[in-house]
Amino acid sequence: MNTKITRINTQIEELQSRLREAETHLEHLAITRKTVTALADRLPAQISAADRPEHPDYPRILTVFNEATRPLRARESPRLEWRLDSM
């Protein structure tokens, strides 16, 4: 019986630790969201063509991001694939 109680107490401590880590992570995400939102508010509504990078893949990258319905990783999008030697 004592070992079972000890095991349960250990599990409780581990879960409390994981909860604290998750709460900290959530706080960091909230700070990041606030920062990104504040930075986005400073951007002009439209970027002139002269201010855009001249790289030929730039429009393709923008299209992928604009059409995204969920968060993206570059490696997940076949439309962003290009050969390194072409850069």
Side-chain angles (χ1 to χ4, degrees):
M1 184 75 163
N2 269 346
T3 59
K4 188 173 184 178
I5 292 172
T6 303
R7 200 170 350 130
I8 291 172
N9 283 335
T10 302
Q11 286 179 332
I12 289 171
E13 290 172 8
E14 289 173 4
L15 291 172
Q16 287 175 335
S17 174
R18 289 175 57 192
L19 177 61
R20 282 190 298 274
E21 290 173 12
E23 288 172 339
T24 300
H25 185 69
L26 184 60
E27 289 174 16
H28 291 169
L29 288 174
I31 292 167
T32 301
R33 179 179 182 187
K34 190 182 291 186
T35 303
V36 169
T37 302
L39 291 174
D41 290 343
R42 295 181 188 176
L43 294 175
Q46 293 290 329
I47 298 174
S48 70
D51 292 335
R52 293 183 184 155
E54 294 180 21
H55 195 280
D57 288 326
Y58 183 75
R60 289 176 49 214
I61 294 169
L62 285 182
T63 300
V64 170
F65 283 120
N66 288 332
E67 293 175 357
T69 58
R70 63 178 181 77
L72 291 176
R73 290 179 178 247
R75 68 174 180 232
E76 294 176 342
S77 176
R79 295 176 62 188
L80 284 179
E81 290 178 5
W82 56 80
R83 293 176 23 179
L84 291 175
D85 58 350
S86 69
M87 296 183 127

